[in-house]
């Protein structure tokens, strides 16, 4: 077209412009430039070709449907005017005509028959039987149908679709609004092969007009690929989905988002939206909606037959996707994420194995360390025993005992505590009948008490002259209430008769004066058997029961209240006690999988899980426990705790919001 | 714009409007970049700004002219991805608005005969898009109720270079009286004017601004 000028304003028109002068067109919109309306005479009943248009029935993406009367046959029909300009070219129009002729041959009780296809004044149209009734879209309106009814409709629709396919007609645009339910409650499919042939070129500016409603479109159509019979299987699936759940499989705010979902997202399972949907029907519906056409029913007949099996209560052929298959499908769609996920999972598994091995290693190392500490503690006890043995034969002590000189005994005891090289918070002497004779520091109430049940008294008497020192069980002092443990030895005369029992005792502590006992990572704890407080004079079995108490702990300050060690795992392994206390016992073992330090209850530094190994201190009944932090379990517990906390917060917020919401 | 407030419904309407006016954006970009890059940037704009609704964060599009706001948003994006090859950054299967590059290019060539700045070209394309949309709606309205033939015969009644077909001739073709055709032609012009105002109303914040916007568009095509 050559350049020309506007007939109204004389402005030059650009070549190729669509025939109107933009300037003058814009002027038509500006207020006051539009001339007043000239009244028009009533034009009477409207005609289209030989048809008399009675009333508009509805408007679709493709055109408008009229209720029209065909005077030549005196029958009322549905007349669909196809908006011109929607066909891409002459070839498209020809293809439309061909398919319409094929559709006119389709005769099926569940298909709305096409009567005539034609063109009037360049306006393509076709006529169909006028079905009085509602479309499935109007019938559902957001409320699910009973599953059996939905399945019956779907089976009849699938049957109609199958006969269409047999004639080579693909529907391409199955959706609830294209299925009418007639007075006999039969679903009737309309627009066979006539829909979706059209491409709107002129209004390419309007995306929505181009795509229509993509909620029911198959993924291959959304991707611009060719539709085939399996696209219609998808369409039936989409209809079933809406009948069962009251909503289309995909629905987003905008056309493009919906298309994106159709291509990429799996629909929410129908049972998630409506618990009443039978599992088999859900499986069947989702098989139709598979993204990959090859995963759907191969034909509408297969779908129809499976729906039939469902309605008869027979097992259906479709199988629900297993978890693994769903994961596989997801992985194919998201290869990058899936690879990352697999790598992460492998890494986590490796870390888990490494963590398990590391924990086992740590426990073994701790047991080994415990054995070492136990033997050095045993050596130290040997040294102290030797010193006590020497002290117990001191002629000065024997002389004081013979003279029954209490002040001399007290002086002697004070000197022993000062210079004896023994861990002795207290030192005291009992007579052979277990009554106190002297004590340092001096405590008068001591003299009145009977100490016969005490392990330090009875144990000392069990030892012979060759090995006189007894390592006693821990006990609670009746003088100051503190937990103590003691070394005791009988003081004998030349003939071996017992003159008295000499005892030195010490209380709870962190190191017991042993240097380098505590390391940064590994903590050493000493557990002792507990000598319970018995009412005096009451007989009891010996050796004592195996209740243990924490005697030495890095968290203790000197003289701290002792913690009980309530762990049955030690009881069975307590070596025989009484006589030959210091004979070594080269044994050590890991303390199970998890260990919680009892001191953790009062000192936060020791709370949480530890890994521990344990070794007996000869035959004394004491144990050395070496513990180090269980970082693996600690981090796992921390993560769980954080997750639990987050969940609590989230639930709390929801509850709060719910309580604030207006009724 | 008609859909007031920032409800999601209003945003949907705005998203659709953004989609409808993609061509002026393309034309603007095309003036500045080669065709493939212009297309990439248009896609980028829709994928990153419009579809994600990110475009509505911050500035309120309901204040002032939609036309100016949309261009400002686009310029903002272009400044952000300046130089960087947008296409390379966007991996995977992004959803595209179906731009027919050949069609877009044809429209671009058709629109950009004169020497215009990218902004002028944007304004001009905008005006033409407004007209095309109004005309499309008018045509659909006529065809929807079977008056398609009348519309085609009477399109000459709208101002343009083709000498309008004498009403008598149209009347003969349609089997109507000349008076009826005259009335119909008049009504066609009036309806077009109304649809045009309706279309413009969607892109301005109040009805009072329609005339001002129309005058600006008039300036853009003159």
């Amino acid at each position: 077209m050559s350049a020309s000028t506007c007939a109204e304003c004389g402005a030059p028109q650009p070549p190729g412009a669509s025939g109107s002068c933009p300037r003058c067109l814009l002027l038509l919109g500006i207020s006051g430039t539009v001339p007043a309306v000239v009244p028009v005479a009533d034009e009477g009943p409207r005609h289209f070709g030989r048809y008399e248009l009675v009333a508009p029935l509805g408007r679709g993406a493709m055109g408008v449907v009229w209720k029209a009367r065909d005077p030549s046959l005196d029958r009322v029909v549905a007349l669909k005017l196809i908006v011109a300009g929607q066909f891409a070219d002459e070839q498209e129009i020809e293809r439309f005509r061909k398919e319409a002729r094929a559709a006119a041959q389709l005769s099926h009780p569940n298909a709305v028959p096409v009567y005539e296809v034609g063109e009037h004044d360049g306006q393509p149209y076709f006529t169909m039987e006028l079905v009085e009734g509602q479309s499935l879209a109007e019938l559902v309106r957001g409320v699910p149908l009973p599953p059996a009814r939905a399945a019956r409709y779907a089976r009849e629709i699938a049957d109609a679709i199958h006969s269409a396919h047999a004639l080579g007609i693909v529907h391409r645009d199955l959706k609830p609004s294209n299925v009418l339910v007639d007075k006999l409650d039969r679903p009737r499919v309309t627009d066979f092969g006539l829909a979706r042939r059209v491409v709107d070129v002129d209004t390419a500016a309007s995306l929505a007009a181009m795509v229509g409603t993509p909620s029911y479109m198959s993924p291959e159509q959304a991707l611009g690929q060719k539709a085939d019979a399996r696209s219609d299987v998808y369409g039936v699936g989409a209809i079933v989905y809406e009948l069962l759940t009251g909503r289309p499989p995909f629905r987003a705010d905008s056309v493009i988002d919906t298309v994106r979902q159709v291509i990429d997202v799996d629909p929410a399972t129908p049972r998630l939206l409506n618990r009443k949907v039978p599992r088999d029907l859900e499986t069947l519906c989702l098989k139709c909606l598979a993204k990959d056409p090859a995963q759907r029913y191969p034909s509408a007949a297969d779908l129809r037959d499976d729906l039939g099996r469902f309605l008869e209560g027979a097992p259906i052929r479709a199988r629900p996707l297993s978890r693994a298959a769903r994961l596989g499908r997801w992985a194919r769609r998201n290869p990058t994420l899936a690879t990352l996920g697999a790598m992460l999972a492998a890494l986590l598994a490796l870390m888990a194995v490494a963590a398990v091995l590391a924990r086992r290693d740590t426990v073994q190392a701790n047991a080994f360390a415990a054995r070492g500490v136990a033997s050095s503690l045993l050596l130290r006890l040997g040294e102290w025993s030797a010193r006590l043995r020497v002290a117990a034969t001191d002629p000065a002590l024997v002389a004081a005992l013979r003279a029954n000189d209490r002040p001399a005994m007290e002086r002697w005891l004070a000197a022993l505590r000062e210079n004896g090289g023994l861990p002795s918070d207290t030192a005291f002497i009992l007579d052979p009948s277990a009554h106190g004779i002297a004590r340092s520091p001096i405590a008068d109430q001591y003299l009145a008490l009977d100490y016969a049940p005490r392990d330090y008294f009875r144990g000392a008497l069990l030892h012979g002259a060759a090995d006189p020192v007894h390592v006693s069980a821990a006990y609670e002092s009746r003088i100051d209430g503190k937990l103590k443990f003691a070394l005791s030895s009988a003081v004998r005369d030349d003939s071996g008769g017992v003159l008295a029992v000499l005892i030195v005792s010490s209380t709870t502590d962190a190191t017991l004066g042993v240097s380098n006992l505590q390391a940064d990572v590994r903590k050493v704890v000493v557990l002792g058997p507990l000598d319970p407080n018995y009412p005096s004079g009451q007989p009891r079995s010996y050796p004592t029961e195996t209740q243990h108490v924490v005697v030495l702990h890095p968290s203790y300050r000197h003289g701290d209240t002792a913690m009980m060690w309530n762990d049955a795992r030690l009881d069975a392994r307590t070596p025989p006690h009484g006589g030959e206390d210091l004979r070594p016992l080269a044994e050590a073992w890991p303390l199970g999988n998890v260990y919680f330090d009892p001191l953790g209850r009062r000192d936060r530094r020791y709370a949480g899980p530890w890994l521990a190994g344990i070794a007996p201190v000869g035959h004394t009944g004491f144990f050395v426990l070496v513990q180090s932090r269980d970082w693996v379990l600690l981090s796992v517990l921390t993560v769980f705790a954080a997750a639990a906390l987050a969940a609590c917060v989230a639930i709390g917020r929801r509850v709060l919001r719910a309580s604030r919401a207006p009724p | 714009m008609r859909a007031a407030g920032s409800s999601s419904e209003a945003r949907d309407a705005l998203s659709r409007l953004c989609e409808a006016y993609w061509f002026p954006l393309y034309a603007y970009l095309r003036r500045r970049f080669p065709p493939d890059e212009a297309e990439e940037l248009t896609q980028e704009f829709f994928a990153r700004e419009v579809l994600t609704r990110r475009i509505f964060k911050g500035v309120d599009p309901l204040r002032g002219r939609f036309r100016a706001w949309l261009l400002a948003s686009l310029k903002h994006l272009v400044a952000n991805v300046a130089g960087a090859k947008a296409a390379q950054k966007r991996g995977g299967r992004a959803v595209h608005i179906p731009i027919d590059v050949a069609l877009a290019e044809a429209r671009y060539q058709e629109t950009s005969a004169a020497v215009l700045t990218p902004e002028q070209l944007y304004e001009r394309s905008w005006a033409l898009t407004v007209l095309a949309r109004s005309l499309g709606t008018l045509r659909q309205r006529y065809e929807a109720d079977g008056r398609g033939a009348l519309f085609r015969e009477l399109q000459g009644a709208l101002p343009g270079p083709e000498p309008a077909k004498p009403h008598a001739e149209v009347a003969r073709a349609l089997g109507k009286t000349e008076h009826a055709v005259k009335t119909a032609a008049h009504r066609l012009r009036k309806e077009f004017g109304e649809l045009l105002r309706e279309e413009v109303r969607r892109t301005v914040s109040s009805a009072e601004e329609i005339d001002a916007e129309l005058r600006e568009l008039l300036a853009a095509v003159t």
Side-chain angles (χ1 to χ4, degrees):
Chain A
M1 196 191 284
S2 62
S4 55
T5 53
C6 173
E8 294 192 18
C9 67
Q13 296 300 294
S18 52
S20 300
C21 169
R23 218 177 153 270
C24 295
L25 281 177
L26 283 167
L27 280 169
L28 284 180
I30 297 177
S31 309
T33 57
V34 181
V37 190
V38 179
V40 185
D42 187 52
E43 291 169 30
R46 191 171 283 169
H47 281 82
F48 181 82
R50 66 183 155 96
Y51 293 98
E52 189 180 300
L53 302 181
V54 179
L57 291 174
R59 181 187 290 256
M62 201 173 39
V64 170
V65 188
W66 285 85
K67 181 177 181 178
R69 209 176 69 83
D70 181 355
S72 59
L73 291 166
D74 193 24
R75 75 175 168 189
V76 177
V77 300
L79 172 76
K80 194 157 193 167
L81 300 167
I82 295 160
V83 174
Q86 294 206 340
F87 292 100
D89 51 33
E90 198 53 43
Q91 275 182 336
E92 277 290 313
I93 296 178
E94 190 42 49
R95 206 174 302 160
F96 165 76
R97 286 191 192 119
K98 213 170 111 194
E99 293 205 9
R101 278 197 294 275
Q105 286 167 23
L106 175 64
S107 168
H108 188 281
N110 293 108
V112 178
V114 171
Y115 292 147
E116 188 198 10
V117 181
E119 226 176 280
H120 173 70
D121 273 348
Q123 164 89 65
Y125 71 94
F126 61 93
T127 58
M128 300 171 287
E129 178 192 327
L130 181 68
V131 176
E132 307 271 3
Q134 288 180 299
S135 74
L136 283 181
E138 290 163 325
L139 198 67
V140 173
R141 283 200 191 285
V143 184
L145 293 187
R149 187 166 168 209
R152 179 174 68 79
Y153 284 162
R155 181 172 62 167
E156 293 179 30
I157 294 168
D159 194 47
I161 298 291
H162 175 63
S163 357
H165 289 173
L167 289 173
I169 307 164
V170 181
H171 191 291
R172 293 189 188 87
D173 194 22
L174 280 171
K175 54 188 175 189
S177 59
N178 271 342
V179 179
L180 303 168
V181 179
D182 66 15
K183 284 175 182 158
L184 300 172
D185 198 24
R186 283 183 308 185
R188 311 278 303 271
V189 184
T190 74
D191 280 6
F192 265 102
L194 303 169
R196 287 267 168 246
R197 254 280 154 240
V198 290
V199 178
D200 191 347
V201 174
D202 269 3
T203 55
S206 166
L207 186 75
M210 190 176 216
V211 190
T213 308
S215 284
Y216 309 93
M217 189 186 265
S218 69
E220 59 270 23
Q221 285 169 290
L223 286 165
Q225 293 157 2
K226 203 174 171 310
D228 64 13
R230 293 169 305 179
S231 310
D232 282 352
V233 169
Y234 180 96
V236 179
I239 291 176
V240 174
Y241 191 97
E242 176 146 352
L243 296 183
L244 292 177
T245 64
R247 45 157 280 190
F250 303 103
R251 190 171 51 188
D253 290 348
S254 75
V255 167
I256 280 222
D257 283 347
T258 309
V259 170
R260 197 205 313 252
Q261 288 185 359
V262 167
I263 294 171
D264 274 336
V265 180
D266 281 331
T269 56
R271 283 169 57 81
L272 200 68
L273 301 166
N274 178 7
R275 295 297 323 166
K276 290 182 190 152
V277 175
R279 207 172 286 277
D280 272 359
L281 201 51
E282 169 180 280
T283 302
L284 195 147
C285 172
L286 291 176
K287 186 178 171 74
C288 295
L289 293 176
K291 303 288 184 211
D292 177 6
Q295 301 291 318
R296 297 176 203 147
Y297 288 99
S299 76
D302 291 296
L303 169 58
R304 175 199 62 199
D305 295 345
D306 229 9
L307 280 162
R309 277 187 281 274
F310 169 78
L311 284 165
E312 288 155 20
I316 59 165
R317 295 268 161 86
R319 287 284 144 256
L321 275 180
S322 65
R323 241 165 248 260
R326 259 184 302 198
L327 186 68
R329 203 163 64 163
W330 176 86
R332 266 197 303 284
R333 276 203 311 277
N334 304 287
T336 317
L337 267 182
T339 312
L340 278 176
M343 280 166 65
L344 193 68
L347 190 69
L348 280 175
L350 264 173
M351 278 168 65
V353 170
V356 166
L357 291 178
R359 287 181 85 231
R360 212 175 59 181
D361 224 41
T362 307
V363 170
Q364 299 286 359
N366 286 348
F368 186 73
R371 208 173 78 182
V373 175
S375 59
S376 58
L377 197 58
L378 202 60
L379 273 177
R380 186 58 62 97
L381 283 170
E383 271 173 44
W384 290 334
S385 295
R387 286 180 193 148
L388 189 66
R389 184 180 174 175
V390 171
T393 54
D394 187 349
L397 173 64
V398 176
L401 282 169
R402 292 230 158 120
N404 202 13
D405 181 352
R406 207 176 100 201
M409 282 185 253
E410 285 169 354
R411 278 196 302 278
W412 186 87
L413 286 171
L416 177 71
R417 284 177 58 217
E418 188 73 22
N419 309 313
L422 288 161
S424 51
D425 291 323
T426 53
F428 50 96
I429 299 168
L430 302 176
D431 70 16
S433 63
H435 288 91
I437 306 174
R439 190 182 190 271
S440 169
I442 296 165
D444 284 344
Q445 70 268 43
Y446 166 74
L447 300 172
L449 297 172
D450 170 17
Y451 292 94
R454 283 296 193 205
D455 179 49
Y456 51 70
F457 178 75
R458 304 188 60 144
L461 296 186
L462 284 179
H463 285 251
D467 173 27
V469 177
H470 176 64
V471 179
S472 90
Y475 63 95
E476 193 183 301
S477 166
R478 281 189 282 178
I479 306 295
D480 59 15
K482 284 184 175 162
L483 184 99
K484 295 184 178 170
F485 56 96
L487 295 176
S488 58
S489 172
V491 182
R492 294 173 193 272
D493 59 20
D494 295 337
S495 59
V498 175
L499 291 173
V501 174
L502 170 64
I503 301 134
V504 292
S505 74
S506 190
T507 182
T508 52
D509 194 29
T511 61
L512 214 64
V514 183
S515 58
N516 301 328
L517 197 58
Q518 304 297 352
D520 280 347
V521 179
R522 295 200 154 81
K523 302 297 178 191
V524 173
V525 172
V526 176
L527 310 169
L530 183 65
D531 192 15
N533 280 334
Y534 292 95
S536 53
Q538 197 161 318
R540 61 188 173 102
S541 62
Y542 192 82
T544 54
E545 289 102 279
T546 48
Q547 169 71 62
H548 289 82
V549 67
V550 180
V551 171
L552 200 90
H553 195 284
S555 154
Y556 279 161
R557 278 181 312 258
H558 189 74
D560 262 358
T561 313
M563 293 296 278
M564 300 301 285
W565 201 80
N566 295 314
D567 196 324
R569 281 179 289 186
L570 215 51
D571 299 354
R573 313 209 52 157
T574 304
H577 184 241
E580 296 192 307
D581 295 353
L582 300 181
R583 189 157 52 87
L585 194 64
E587 243 192 279
W589 60 90
L591 195 70
N593 273 325
V594 194
Y595 170 61
F596 287 92
D597 190 332
L599 264 296
R601 267 176 278 157
R602 101 180 163 202
D603 185 343
R604 278 180 51 197
R605 288 176 302 161
Y606 291 89
W610 293 81
L611 292 169
I614 201 158
V617 183
H619 289 76
T620 58
F622 283 74
F623 289 90
V624 165
L625 186 144
V626 172
Q627 61 189 47
S628 56
R629 264 291 173 209
D630 188 351
W631 292 115
V632 174
L633 190 57
L634 191 65
S635 23
V636 171
L637 289 179
T638 310
V639 168
F640 270 102
L645 189 70
C648 285
V649 169
I651 291 169
R653 277 202 189 147
R654 194 166 302 173
V655 168
L656 263 180
R657 210 177 308 144
S659 65
R660 273 190 211 140
Chain B
M1 272 151 264
R2 206 163 304 171
S6 58
S7 69
S8 84
E9 217 169 284
R11 298 200 158 173
D12 286 349
L14 285 172
S15 291
R16 281 195 291 276
L17 211 52
C18 293
E19 287 167 6
Y21 283 90
W22 68 268
F23 180 71
L25 296 170
Y26 174 82
Y28 168 84
L29 290 167
R30 181 62 187 85
R31 193 53 137 192
R32 292 181 54 182
F33 305 101
D36 50 342
E37 215 166 308
E39 197 234 333
E40 284 297 344
L41 282 167
T42 313
Q43 296 287 13
E44 185 81 6
F45 182 68
F46 280 95
R48 269 176 49 176
E49 303 292 327
V50 181
L51 294 184
T52 57
R53 305 278 188 281
R54 213 166 67 174
I55 194 170
F56 304 124
K57 283 179 191 142
V59 196
D60 185 0
L62 301 178
R63 295 178 192 285
R65 302 280 161 84
F66 180 67
R67 175 166 49 88
W69 170 81
L70 197 60
L71 182 61
S73 303
L74 179 71
K75 282 180 173 174
H76 182 70
L77 175 96
V78 171
N80 278 346
V81 297
K85 287 287 173 215
Q88 287 168 3
K89 282 194 289 180
R90 192 184 56 218
R93 183 171 53 185
V95 171
H96 285 206
I97 75 161
I99 290 184
D100 182 335
V101 183
L103 178 73
E105 196 52 22
R107 269 180 82 180
Y108 170 75
Q109 297 298 350
E110 190 178 295
T111 325
S112 65
V115 182
L116 298 170
T117 66
E119 282 79 7
Q120 286 168 330
L121 185 58
Y122 174 78
E123 310 279 301
R124 187 175 159 74
S125 311
W126 189 279
L128 294 180
T129 306
V130 169
L131 290 174
R133 276 171 64 81
S134 311
L135 206 57
T137 316
L138 184 67
R139 196 199 63 218
Q140 278 175 2
R141 191 180 278 190
Y142 270 73
E143 283 176 350
D145 49 13
R147 291 184 293 157
L150 179 71
F151 178 81
R152 278 188 296 283
E153 291 294 338
L154 282 183
Q155 213 177 345
L158 291 172
E162 261 174 74
K165 214 184 251 183
H167 286 158
E169 202 178 304
V170 177
R172 261 199 308 284
L174 294 175
K176 293 183 186 228
T177 66
E178 201 179 330
H179 174 73
V181 170
K182 220 173 182 171
T183 314
H186 188 82
R187 188 195 271 177
L188 184 81
R189 288 172 77 106
K190 182 179 176 290
E191 278 182 57
F192 176 81
E194 285 163 2
L195 285 174
L196 179 60
R197 290 183 70 80
E198 237 173 72
E199 179 66 26
V200 169
R201 176 66 187 90
R202 292 196 192 109
T203 69
V204 293
S205 50
S206 71
E208 288 72 47
E209 289 176 54
I210 296 177
D211 282 331
E213 172 74 357
L214 275 168
R215 280 180 220 287
E216 276 185 31
L217 294 179
L218 195 61
V221 297
T222 305

